Structures are given as structure tokens and as C-alpha cells.
Amino acid sequence: NHVKDIKLVIEYISSGQLDDRINSQSIVLWGSSFAGGHSLVVANELQHKLKGIISQVPHLSGKAASKRGIIDRGLFGTIKVAVLVISDYVLSELLGYEPVYIKIAGTTNDTAYMMMNQESLDLYFSKHPKIYLGSWKNLAPARTLAIMSLYNPIDYVSNISIPVLFIGANQDTLCPIDLIQLANQLVNKSELVLVDGSHFDIYQGKGYETATN
């Protein structure tokens, strides 16, 4: 559970058990994409331990992502995903067999969490190491797609009182700028930095320079 892990780290850092190289009273939480949504969920509960949040191209609405997925996949693709989700739940959760996997990132012709054109997919993999450590694969259990559809960090943002810096990309189809603009309006103390490009342009080149300056 990513959110739980982040909370535990913040609790430890803010406990004062670390040496004076780290100012435990000035913690700023940064997250990008899915973790950009996590940062807002964590802030909702632990903002008294944080100085601020940087939420970069954040995932904000599982409901909106699911609606886009249905449109992008069409009827046949949506039925296929539903069958994979149910099969994974029955086989792995109920019967104890190996999970049924789908791709994390793929083109619009794939069954994947994130569907994108080939150019965006190439950008996604360009920031990966040439040799993966551990056993990482471009796969996730299909049932987690249903869980993600219920994950809506935007529901928490109106409760955040500490400063939030949102960074969005104006051509982002995975985490659309209109939702980020809405979240920016819902937070009492917030600012939005807009990057010209797609979701993965923000990790390199001019997009990266804009996001980090």
C-alpha cells in the first residue's frame, strides 16, 4: 500500500529520531502521476506534519479515468477488460492461482492500464533504466484496475489547508489538465504551473526544465 508506506515515512521523519541533517519540521511531500494523487491523500490526514505539497501531473479521479477507458476501448475492449478483472479475482483471490495480468503501459491497441500513442509510449520507456533491478515487468494484476477506478484523490483536496503546487501538462491524456485545474481551485492555498506537452514530456527536456524551475 503506497499511501500507508508514505505515511509511515513521514511519521518517522517527523518523530525527531533522525540527526540534525534533516529538518523534521520542514517536510514537503512530492509525488508525480499516481503518486501525485497519493501526496494529496496523505496530506489530507498528515498535513499538520507537512509544510507543503508538490503534486505533478497527478492522478485525481478513478471515475473519470474509467469513463475515458470505456470510450477508448470501445464495447469489445471494455468487455475484455471486465472478463480479465473477474478472472483475476476468481483465480488469484479466491482459488489461490497465479494472477491474470494486463500491461501497465501500452498502445491504444493493447489491453493496458495506461493506453497511449506510440510516441508517448516511447517517452514512457525512455525514462526507464536499460537494465531493470529486481523483477519489474510491464504488468499488473487485472483486478487492480477495478480498485483504481474507485480511487479518487480529488475528493480530499478541499480539506487541505497547507500550500499545494500543482504541475500539469496541457496535452496530458492520462491525467487531464481540466481535473488539475479543478483541484487547484478547490485548494485554499495553491498554484498551478502549466507545462506545454504530454504526460511524459514533463520528465525530460523543456517540460522537465519548466517543472523544476
Side-chain angles (χ1 to χ4, degrees):
N1 187 307
H2 295 168
V3 170
K4 184 178 179 180
D5 289 343
I6 296 169
K7 288 179 180 179
L8 289 172
V9 170
I10 293 172
E11 292 284 6
Y12 179 71
I13 294 174
S14 61
S15 68
Q17 298 181 54
L18 299 175
D19 59 37
D20 56 10
R21 291 177 299 174
I22 296 177
N23 186 347
S24 61
Q25 304 305 310
S26 296
I27 303 172
V28 174
L29 184 60
W30 177 92
S32 188
S33 197
F34 209 53
H38 292 341
S39 67
L40 300 169
V41 174
V42 171
N44 178 65
E45 184 175 335
L46 295 181
Q47 57 188 306
H48 61 287
K49 296 180 180 291
L50 300 170
K51 283 293 184 181
I53 298 292
I54 301 173
S55 184
Q56 178 174 276
V57 289
H59 166 80
L60 290 172
S61 174
K63 291 180 288 188
S66 295
K67 290 178 181 178
R68 289 196 307 274
I70 291 172
I71 294 171
D72 292 342
R73 293 184 179 97
L75 178 60
F76 176 76
T78 300
I79 292 174
K80 181 180 179 181
V81 167
V83 170
L84 291 172
V85 169
I86 294 170
S87 299
D88 182 34
Y89 178 77
V90 172
L91 290 173
S92 62
E93 287 289 301
L94 299 183
L95 301 179
Y97 291 104
E98 284 292 311
V100 176
Y101 291 101
I102 61 173
K103 288 183 178 180
I104 296 172
T107 67
T108 51
N109 295 321
D110 294 319
T111 301
Y113 257 88
M114 300 185 292
M115 297 184 300
M116 62 199 82
N117 59 36
Q118 189 62 52
E119 181 181 1
S120 294
L121 187 64
D122 291 341
L123 280 173
Y124 171 76
F125 282 111
S126 70
K127 63 186 180 68
H128 285 214
K130 292 182 179 180
I131 300 176
Y132 293 117
L133 299 178
S135 57
W136 188 89
K137 295 181 180 179
N138 184 32
L139 296 170
R143 66 186 182 279
T144 58
L145 192 59
I147 297 171
M148 191 193 77
S149 70
L150 303 175
Y151 186 53
N152 301 291
I154 197 168
D155 294 342
Y156 298 87
V157 298
S158 60
N159 298 324
I160 299 174
S161 58
I162 58 175
V164 178
L165 174 62
F166 289 103
I167 303 173
N170 61 6
Q171 299 174 43
D172 195 337
T173 58
L174 295 174
C175 298
I177 190 60
D178 58 334
L179 280 174
I180 300 174
Q181 290 170 329
L182 175 59
N184 182 53
Q185 294 172 3
L186 293 173
V187 177
N188 185 37
K189 301 175 183 178
S190 64
E191 180 181 347
L192 172 60
V193 172
L194 191 60
V195 172
D196 183 22
S198 67
H199 188 79
F200 298 109
D201 284 319
I202 208 163
Y203 298 105
Q204 56 191 352
K206 292 183 178 179
Y208 178 79
E209 292 176 9
T210 303
T212 55
N213 288 334

PDB file of all heavy atoms in Angstrom, residues 25-57:
ATOM      1  N   GLN A  25      10.851  19.497  10.746  1.00  0.00           N
ATOM      2  CA  GLN A  25       9.739  20.436  10.830  1.00  0.00           C
ATOM      3  C   GLN A  25       9.457  21.108   9.484  1.00  0.00           C
ATOM      4  O   GLN A  25       8.573  21.970   9.401  1.00  0.00           O
ATOM      5  CB  GLN A  25      10.042  21.504  11.882  1.00  0.00           C
ATOM      6  CG  GLN A  25      10.350  20.952  13.260  1.00  0.00           C
ATOM      7  CD  GLN A  25       9.259  20.045  13.781  1.00  0.00           C
ATOM      8  OE1 GLN A  25       8.083  20.408  13.762  1.00  0.00           O
ATOM      9  NE2 GLN A  25       9.639  18.858  14.254  1.00  0.00           N
ATOM     10  N   SER A  26      10.199  20.730   8.451  1.00  0.00           N
ATOM     11  CA  SER A  26      10.029  21.375   7.133  1.00  0.00           C
ATOM     12  C   SER A  26       9.938  20.315   6.033  1.00  0.00           C
ATOM     13  O   SER A  26      10.719  20.303   5.081  1.00  0.00           O
ATOM     14  CB  SER A  26      11.184  22.337   6.854  1.00  0.00           C
ATOM     15  OG  SER A  26      11.189  23.403   7.780  1.00  0.00           O
ATOM     16  N   ILE A  27       8.987  19.436   6.164  1.00  0.00           N
ATOM     17  CA  ILE A  27       8.807  18.359   5.202  1.00  0.00           C
ATOM     18  C   ILE A  27       7.858  18.808   4.089  1.00  0.00           C
ATOM     19  O   ILE A  27       6.738  19.251   4.349  1.00  0.00           O
ATOM     20  CB  ILE A  27       8.238  17.101   5.871  1.00  0.00           C
ATOM     21  CG1 ILE A  27       9.143  16.640   7.016  1.00  0.00           C
ATOM     22  CG2 ILE A  27       8.075  15.979   4.849  1.00  0.00           C
ATOM     23  CD1 ILE A  27       8.546  15.514   7.843  1.00  0.00           C
ATOM     24  N   VAL A  28       8.318  18.696   2.846  1.00  0.00           N
ATOM     25  CA  VAL A  28       7.473  18.929   1.682  1.00  0.00           C
ATOM     26  C   VAL A  28       7.328  17.611   0.932  1.00  0.00           C
ATOM     27  O   VAL A  28       8.325  16.955   0.619  1.00  0.00           O
ATOM     28  CB  VAL A  28       8.071  20.011   0.753  1.00  0.00           C
ATOM     29  CG1 VAL A  28       7.242  20.138  -0.519  1.00  0.00           C
ATOM     30  CG2 VAL A  28       8.139  21.352   1.472  1.00  0.00           C
ATOM     31  N   LEU A  29       6.113  17.222   0.659  1.00  0.00           N
ATOM     32  CA  LEU A  29       5.841  15.937   0.016  1.00  0.00           C
ATOM     33  C   LEU A  29       5.644  16.142  -1.484  1.00  0.00           C
ATOM     34  O   LEU A  29       4.821  16.963  -1.900  1.00  0.00           O
ATOM     35  CB  LEU A  29       4.607  15.288   0.635  1.00  0.00           C
ATOM     36  CG  LEU A  29       4.225  13.881   0.159  1.00  0.00           C
ATOM     37  CD1 LEU A  29       5.356  12.898   0.429  1.00  0.00           C
ATOM     38  CD2 LEU A  29       2.951  13.420   0.857  1.00  0.00           C
ATOM     39  N   TRP A  30       6.420  15.412  -2.293  1.00  0.00           N
ATOM     40  CA  TRP A  30       6.342  15.496  -3.752  1.00  0.00           C
ATOM     41  C   TRP A  30       5.889  14.160  -4.307  1.00  0.00           C
ATOM     42  O   TRP A  30       6.329  13.101  -3.865  1.00  0.00           O
ATOM     43  CB  TRP A  30       7.720  15.848  -4.318  1.00  0.00           C
ATOM     44  CG  TRP A  30       7.817  15.906  -5.816  1.00  0.00           C
ATOM     45  CD1 TRP A  30       7.641  16.998  -6.611  1.00  0.00           C
ATOM     46  CD2 TRP A  30       8.128  14.817  -6.704  1.00  0.00           C
ATOM     47  NE1 TRP A  30       7.820  16.663  -7.938  1.00  0.00           N
ATOM     48  CE2 TRP A  30       8.129  15.321  -8.030  1.00  0.00           C
ATOM     49  CE3 TRP A  30       8.408  13.470  -6.504  1.00  0.00           C
ATOM     50  CZ2 TRP A  30       8.389  14.539  -9.138  1.00  0.00           C
ATOM     51  CZ3 TRP A  30       8.674  12.670  -7.612  1.00  0.00           C
ATOM     52  CH2 TRP A  30       8.662  13.204  -8.904  1.00  0.00           C
ATOM     53  N   GLY A  31       4.990  14.219  -5.287  1.00  0.00           N
ATOM     54  CA  GLY A  31       4.564  12.997  -5.959  1.00  0.00           C
ATOM     55  C   GLY A  31       4.192  13.291  -7.400  1.00  0.00           C
ATOM     56  O   GLY A  31       3.697  14.381  -7.716  1.00  0.00           O
ATOM     57  N   SER A  32       4.427  12.318  -8.276  1.00  0.00           N
ATOM     58  CA  SER A  32       4.138  12.512  -9.695  1.00  0.00           C
ATOM     59  C   SER A  32       3.253  11.390 -10.217  1.00  0.00           C
ATOM     60  O   SER A  32       3.401  10.235  -9.811  1.00  0.00           O
ATOM     61  CB  SER A  32       5.450  12.562 -10.491  1.00  0.00           C
ATOM     62  OG  SER A  32       5.231  12.938 -11.831  1.00  0.00           O
ATOM     63  N   SER A  33       2.317  11.743 -11.088  1.00  0.00           N
ATOM     64  CA  SER A  33       1.391  10.812 -11.707  1.00  0.00           C
ATOM     65  C   SER A  33       0.533  10.126 -10.622  1.00  0.00           C
ATOM     66  O   SER A  33      -0.137  10.804  -9.859  1.00  0.00           O
ATOM     67  CB  SER A  33       2.158   9.797 -12.560  1.00  0.00           C
ATOM     68  OG  SER A  33       1.289   9.136 -13.456  1.00  0.00           O
ATOM     69  N   PHE A  34       0.586   8.805 -10.516  1.00  0.00           N
ATOM     70  CA  PHE A  34      -0.224   8.124  -9.496  1.00  0.00           C
ATOM     71  C   PHE A  34       0.169   8.601  -8.098  1.00  0.00           C
ATOM     72  O   PHE A  34      -0.679   8.813  -7.233  1.00  0.00           O
ATOM     73  CB  PHE A  34      -0.045   6.613  -9.632  1.00  0.00           C
ATOM     74  CG  PHE A  34      -1.240   5.826  -9.176  1.00  0.00           C
ATOM     75  CD1 PHE A  34      -2.508   6.101  -9.669  1.00  0.00           C
ATOM     76  CD2 PHE A  34      -1.105   4.798  -8.264  1.00  0.00           C
ATOM     77  CE1 PHE A  34      -3.624   5.380  -9.255  1.00  0.00           C
ATOM     78  CE2 PHE A  34      -2.203   4.057  -7.840  1.00  0.00           C
ATOM     79  CZ  PHE A  34      -3.463   4.354  -8.338  1.00  0.00           C
ATOM     80  N   ALA A  35       1.479   8.781  -7.889  1.00  0.00           N
ATOM     81  CA  ALA A  35       1.961   9.264  -6.589  1.00  0.00           C
ATOM     82  C   ALA A  35       1.596  10.726  -6.359  1.00  0.00           C
ATOM     83  O   ALA A  35       1.565  11.186  -5.216  1.00  0.00           O
ATOM     84  CB  ALA A  35       3.470   9.077  -6.481  1.00  0.00           C
ATOM     85  N   GLY A  36       1.326  11.467  -7.446  1.00  0.00           N
ATOM     86  CA  GLY A  36       0.827  12.826  -7.278  1.00  0.00           C
ATOM     87  C   GLY A  36      -0.521  12.828  -6.585  1.00  0.00           C
ATOM     88  O   GLY A  36      -0.815  13.703  -5.762  1.00  0.00           O
ATOM     89  N   GLY A  37      -1.340  11.831  -6.895  1.00  0.00           N
ATOM     90  CA  GLY A  37      -2.607  11.659  -6.185  1.00  0.00           C
ATOM     91  C   GLY A  37      -2.380  11.201  -4.758  1.00  0.00           C
ATOM     92  O   GLY A  37      -3.039  11.677  -3.822  1.00  0.00           O
ATOM     93  N   HIS A  38      -1.414  10.281  -4.561  1.00  0.00           N
ATOM     94  CA  HIS A  38      -1.093   9.819  -3.206  1.00  0.00           C
ATOM     95  C   HIS A  38      -0.711  10.988  -2.297  1.00  0.00           C
ATOM     96  O   HIS A  38      -1.088  11.026  -1.120  1.00  0.00           O
ATOM     97  CB  HIS A  38       0.084   8.834  -3.242  1.00  0.00           C
ATOM     98  CG  HIS A  38      -0.212   7.531  -3.906  1.00  0.00           C
ATOM     99  ND1 HIS A  38      -1.490   7.052  -4.107  1.00  0.00           N
ATOM    100  CD2 HIS A  38       0.631   6.579  -4.413  1.00  0.00           C
ATOM    101  CE1 HIS A  38      -1.429   5.874  -4.694  1.00  0.00           C
ATOM    102  NE2 HIS A  38      -0.160   5.565  -4.894  1.00  0.00           N
ATOM    103  N   SER A  39       0.061  11.933  -2.828  1.00  0.00           N
ATOM    104  CA  SER A  39       0.533  13.043  -1.997  1.00  0.00           C
ATOM    105  C   SER A  39      -0.633  13.845  -1.441  1.00  0.00           C
ATOM    106  O   SER A  39      -0.590  14.328  -0.305  1.00  0.00           O
ATOM    107  CB  SER A  39       1.470  13.951  -2.810  1.00  0.00           C
ATOM    108  OG  SER A  39       0.774  14.623  -3.848  1.00  0.00           O
ATOM    109  N   LEU A  40      -1.696  13.972  -2.220  1.00  0.00           N
ATOM    110  CA  LEU A  40      -2.879  14.720  -1.771  1.00  0.00           C
ATOM    111  C   LEU A  40      -3.674  13.931  -0.737  1.00  0.00           C
ATOM    112  O   LEU A  40      -4.190  14.504   0.233  1.00  0.00           O
ATOM    113  CB  LEU A  40      -3.759  15.048  -2.978  1.00  0.00           C
ATOM    114  CG  LEU A  40      -3.083  15.906  -4.058  1.00  0.00           C
ATOM    115  CD1 LEU A  40      -3.930  15.937  -5.310  1.00  0.00           C
ATOM    116  CD2 LEU A  40      -2.827  17.313  -3.544  1.00  0.00           C
ATOM    117  N   VAL A  41      -3.765  12.627  -0.929  1.00  0.00           N
ATOM    118  CA  VAL A  41      -4.474  11.775   0.034  1.00  0.00           C
ATOM    119  C   VAL A  41      -3.743  11.779   1.378  1.00  0.00           C
ATOM    120  O   VAL A  41      -4.367  11.894   2.440  1.00  0.00           O
ATOM    121  CB  VAL A  41      -4.605  10.338  -0.514  1.00  0.00           C
ATOM    122  CG1 VAL A  41      -5.203   9.416   0.549  1.00  0.00           C
ATOM    123  CG2 VAL A  41      -5.474  10.328  -1.761  1.00  0.00           C
ATOM    124  N   VAL A  42      -2.419  11.678   1.328  1.00  0.00           N
ATOM    125  CA  VAL A  42      -1.620  11.699   2.556  1.00  0.00           C
ATOM    126  C   VAL A  42      -1.744  13.049   3.253  1.00  0.00           C
ATOM    127  O   VAL A  42      -1.892  13.123   4.481  1.00  0.00           O
ATOM    128  CB  VAL A  42      -0.143  11.388   2.245  1.00  0.00           C
ATOM    129  CG1 VAL A  42       0.731  11.623   3.475  1.00  0.00           C
ATOM    130  CG2 VAL A  42       0.010   9.949   1.776  1.00  0.00           C
ATOM    131  N   ALA A  43      -1.706  14.123   2.479  1.00  0.00           N
ATOM    132  CA  ALA A  43      -1.800  15.464   3.058  1.00  0.00           C
ATOM    133  C   ALA A  43      -3.119  15.676   3.784  1.00  0.00           C
ATOM    134  O   ALA A  43      -3.179  16.391   4.795  1.00  0.00           O
ATOM    135  CB  ALA A  43      -1.638  16.515   1.967  1.00  0.00           C
ATOM    136  N   ASN A  44      -4.160  15.061   3.295  1.00  0.00           N
ATOM    137  CA  ASN A  44      -5.465  15.189   3.939  1.00  0.00           C
ATOM    138  C   ASN A  44      -5.429  14.746   5.399  1.00  0.00           C
ATOM    139  O   ASN A  44      -6.127  15.296   6.250  1.00  0.00           O
ATOM    140  CB  ASN A  44      -6.500  14.370   3.168  1.00  0.00           C
ATOM    141  CG  ASN A  44      -7.876  14.421   3.794  1.00  0.00           C
ATOM    142  OD1 ASN A  44      -8.514  15.456   3.851  1.00  0.00           O
ATOM    143  ND2 ASN A  44      -8.337  13.273   4.272  1.00  0.00           N
ATOM    144  N   GLU A  45      -4.574  13.758   5.682  1.00  0.00           N
ATOM    145  CA  GLU A  45      -4.503  13.210   7.044  1.00  0.00           C
ATOM    146  C   GLU A  45      -3.323  13.746   7.852  1.00  0.00           C
ATOM    147  O   GLU A  45      -3.434  13.929   9.072  1.00  0.00           O
ATOM    148  CB  GLU A  45      -4.411  11.684   6.969  1.00  0.00           C
ATOM    149  CG  GLU A  45      -4.422  11.004   8.327  1.00  0.00           C
ATOM    150  CD  GLU A  45      -4.452   9.486   8.199  1.00  0.00           C
ATOM    151  OE1 GLU A  45      -4.919   8.975   7.172  1.00  0.00           O
ATOM    152  OE2 GLU A  45      -3.988   8.811   9.147  1.00  0.00           O
ATOM    153  N   LEU A  46      -2.197  14.020   7.169  1.00  0.00           N
ATOM    154  CA  LEU A  46      -0.970  14.365   7.896  1.00  0.00           C
ATOM    155  C   LEU A  46      -0.473  15.777   7.587  1.00  0.00           C
ATOM    156  O   LEU A  46       0.715  16.053   7.754  1.00  0.00           O
ATOM    157  CB  LEU A  46       0.134  13.354   7.567  1.00  0.00           C
ATOM    158  CG  LEU A  46      -0.095  11.915   8.022  1.00  0.00           C
ATOM    159  CD1 LEU A  46       1.091  11.051   7.642  1.00  0.00           C
ATOM    160  CD2 LEU A  46      -0.340  11.840   9.522  1.00  0.00           C
ATOM    161  N   GLN A  47      -1.348  16.669   7.168  1.00  0.00           N
ATOM    162  CA  GLN A  47      -0.879  17.996   6.792  1.00  0.00           C
ATOM    163  C   GLN A  47      -0.286  18.776   7.955  1.00  0.00           C
ATOM    164  O   GLN A  47       0.535  19.684   7.756  1.00  0.00           O
ATOM    165  CB  GLN A  47      -1.992  18.801   6.131  1.00  0.00           C
ATOM    166  CG  GLN A  47      -3.258  18.969   6.942  1.00  0.00           C
ATOM    167  CD  GLN A  47      -4.342  19.623   6.097  1.00  0.00           C
ATOM    168  OE1 GLN A  47      -4.142  20.686   5.512  1.00  0.00           O
ATOM    169  NE2 GLN A  47      -5.498  18.978   6.015  1.00  0.00           N
ATOM    170  N   HIS A  48      -0.637  18.406   9.169  1.00  0.00           N
ATOM    171  CA  HIS A  48      -0.051  19.071  10.338  1.00  0.00           C
ATOM    172  C   HIS A  48       1.438  18.739  10.494  1.00  0.00           C
ATOM    173  O   HIS A  48       2.151  19.409  11.244  1.00  0.00           O
ATOM    174  CB  HIS A  48      -0.810  18.680  11.607  1.00  0.00           C
ATOM    175  CG  HIS A  48      -0.784  17.207  11.917  1.00  0.00           C
ATOM    176  ND1 HIS A  48      -1.501  16.291  11.189  1.00  0.00           N
ATOM    177  CD2 HIS A  48      -0.121  16.509  12.868  1.00  0.00           C
ATOM    178  CE1 HIS A  48      -1.282  15.081  11.679  1.00  0.00           C
ATOM    179  NE2 HIS A  48      -0.448  15.178  12.692  1.00  0.00           N
ATOM    180  N   LYS A  49       1.896  17.731   9.768  1.00  0.00           N
ATOM    181  CA  LYS A  49       3.308  17.357   9.809  1.00  0.00           C
ATOM    182  C   LYS A  49       4.055  17.821   8.556  1.00  0.00           C
ATOM    183  O   LYS A  49       5.235  17.513   8.385  1.00  0.00           O
ATOM    184  CB  LYS A  49       3.452  15.848   9.963  1.00  0.00           C
ATOM    185  CG  LYS A  49       2.891  15.290  11.273  1.00  0.00           C
ATOM    186  CD  LYS A  49       3.086  13.787  11.342  1.00  0.00           C
ATOM    187  CE  LYS A  49       2.521  13.225  12.637  1.00  0.00           C
ATOM    188  NZ  LYS A  49       3.304  13.642  13.816  1.00  0.00           N
ATOM    189  N   LEU A  50       3.366  18.526   7.660  1.00  0.00           N
ATOM    190  CA  LEU A  50       3.945  18.910   6.375  1.00  0.00           C
ATOM    191  C   LEU A  50       3.942  20.426   6.201  1.00  0.00           C
ATOM    192  O   LEU A  50       3.075  21.118   6.713  1.00  0.00           O
ATOM    193  CB  LEU A  50       3.147  18.276   5.228  1.00  0.00           C
ATOM    194  CG  LEU A  50       3.071  16.743   5.200  1.00  0.00           C
ATOM    195  CD1 LEU A  50       2.051  16.287   4.170  1.00  0.00           C
ATOM    196  CD2 LEU A  50       4.442  16.144   4.897  1.00  0.00           C
ATOM    197  N   LYS A  51       4.921  20.912   5.432  1.00  0.00           N
ATOM    198  CA  LYS A  51       4.975  22.334   5.094  1.00  0.00           C
ATOM    199  C   LYS A  51       4.275  22.614   3.771  1.00  0.00           C
ATOM    200  O   LYS A  51       3.820  23.735   3.529  1.00  0.00           O
ATOM    201  CB  LYS A  51       6.436  22.795   5.001  1.00  0.00           C
ATOM    202  CG  LYS A  51       7.110  22.998   6.347  1.00  0.00           C
ATOM    203  CD  LYS A  51       6.504  24.172   7.098  1.00  0.00           C
ATOM    204  CE  LYS A  51       7.260  24.432   8.392  1.00  0.00           C
ATOM    205  NZ  LYS A  51       6.675  25.558   9.155  1.00  0.00           N
ATOM    206  N   GLY A  52       4.221  21.627   2.913  1.00  0.00           N
ATOM    207  CA  GLY A  52       3.594  21.829   1.621  1.00  0.00           C
ATOM    208  C   GLY A  52       3.584  20.569   0.781  1.00  0.00           C
ATOM    209  O   GLY A  52       4.149  19.536   1.166  1.00  0.00           O
ATOM    210  N   ILE A  53       2.935  20.670  -0.390  1.00  0.00           N
ATOM    211  CA  ILE A  53       2.783  19.539  -1.300  1.00  0.00           C
ATOM    212  C   ILE A  53       3.150  19.989  -2.711  1.00  0.00           C
ATOM    213  O   ILE A  53       2.783  21.091  -3.138  1.00  0.00           O
ATOM    214  CB  ILE A  53       1.317  19.036  -1.319  1.00  0.00           C
ATOM    215  CG1 ILE A  53       0.888  18.544   0.060  1.00  0.00           C
ATOM    216  CG2 ILE A  53       1.137  17.936  -2.356  1.00  0.00           C
ATOM    217  CD1 ILE A  53       1.586  17.302   0.518  1.00  0.00           C
ATOM    218  N   ILE A  54       3.854  19.133  -3.439  1.00  0.00           N
ATOM    219  CA  ILE A  54       4.058  19.324  -4.874  1.00  0.00           C
ATOM    220  C   ILE A  54       3.422  18.118  -5.565  1.00  0.00           C
ATOM    221  O   ILE A  54       3.862  16.985  -5.377  1.00  0.00           O
ATOM    222  CB  ILE A  54       5.548  19.422  -5.248  1.00  0.00           C
ATOM    223  CG1 ILE A  54       6.204  20.599  -4.510  1.00  0.00           C
ATOM    224  CG2 ILE A  54       5.704  19.600  -6.759  1.00  0.00           C
ATOM    225  CD1 ILE A  54       7.712  20.674  -4.696  1.00  0.00           C
ATOM    226  N   SER A  55       2.370  18.381  -6.316  1.00  0.00           N
ATOM    227  CA  SER A  55       1.608  17.312  -6.964  1.00  0.00           C
ATOM    228  C   SER A  55       1.730  17.482  -8.477  1.00  0.00           C
ATOM    229  O   SER A  55       1.112  18.362  -9.073  1.00  0.00           O
ATOM    230  CB  SER A  55       0.138  17.370  -6.522  1.00  0.00           C
ATOM    231  OG  SER A  55      -0.604  16.303  -7.058  1.00  0.00           O
ATOM    232  N   GLN A  56       2.546  16.631  -9.091  1.00  0.00           N
ATOM    233  CA  GLN A  56       2.899  16.772 -10.507  1.00  0.00           C
ATOM    234  C   GLN A  56       2.093  15.802 -11.371  1.00  0.00           C
ATOM    235  O   GLN A  56       2.053  14.604 -11.091  1.00  0.00           O
ATOM    236  CB  GLN A  56       4.395  16.514 -10.671  1.00  0.00           C
ATOM    237  CG  GLN A  56       4.890  16.575 -12.105  1.00  0.00           C
ATOM    238  CD  GLN A  56       6.396  16.447 -12.188  1.00  0.00           C
ATOM    239  OE1 GLN A  56       7.125  17.418 -12.033  1.00  0.00           O
ATOM    240  NE2 GLN A  56       6.868  15.226 -12.428  1.00  0.00           N
ATOM    241  N   VAL A  57       1.453  16.325 -12.405  1.00  0.00           N
ATOM    242  CA  VAL A  57       0.560  15.562 -13.294  1.00  0.00           C
ATOM    243  C   VAL A  57      -0.167  14.455 -12.518  1.00  0.00           C
ATOM    244  O   VAL A  57      -0.078  13.271 -12.855  1.00  0.00           O
ATOM    245  CB  VAL A  57       1.308  14.995 -14.524  1.00  0.00           C
ATOM    246  CG1 VAL A  57       1.691  16.106 -15.483  1.00  0.00           C
ATOM    247  CG2 VAL A  57       2.557  14.193 -14.160  1.00  0.00           C
TER     248      VAL A  57
END
